[in-house]
Amino acid sequence: MRVTVDQDKCCGAGNCVLLAPEVFDQREDDAIVVLLDERPAERLHAAVREASDVCPAGAIRLSETS
């Protein structure tokens, strides 16, 4: 799995950080998403998929190809 984020779309809701803190963080000044790991371990895939699904801005993109 490969993860990308669109910081311009991010609204700072923080759902991604709550669901997958090993993969996502937020900037302190404006809460915009920061991608910590673009190729997360397989054990994190379910949480990353959920984070992508619940992102209100659609700022998280997933690719299943390596």
Side-chain angles (χ1 to χ4, degrees), residues 1-57:
M1 169 185 285
R2 182 165 183 259
V3 182
T4 57
V5 296
D6 185 341
Q7 292 183 326
D8 292 333
K9 282 185 170 182
C10 180
C11 65
N15 296 326
C16 56
V17 178
L18 294 173
L19 290 165
E22 299 94 336
V23 180
F24 305 102
D25 199 356
Q26 290 176 287
R27 297 191 305 218
E28 298 229 359
D29 58 335
D30 59 5
I32 298 299
V33 67
V34 174
L35 182 62
L36 301 175
D37 186 357
E38 76 173 29
R39 296 192 185 276
E42 189 170 339
R43 67 181 176 78
L44 300 172
H45 287 190
V48 172
R49 282 188 192 96
E50 185 175 357
S52 176
D53 289 345
V54 302
C55 178

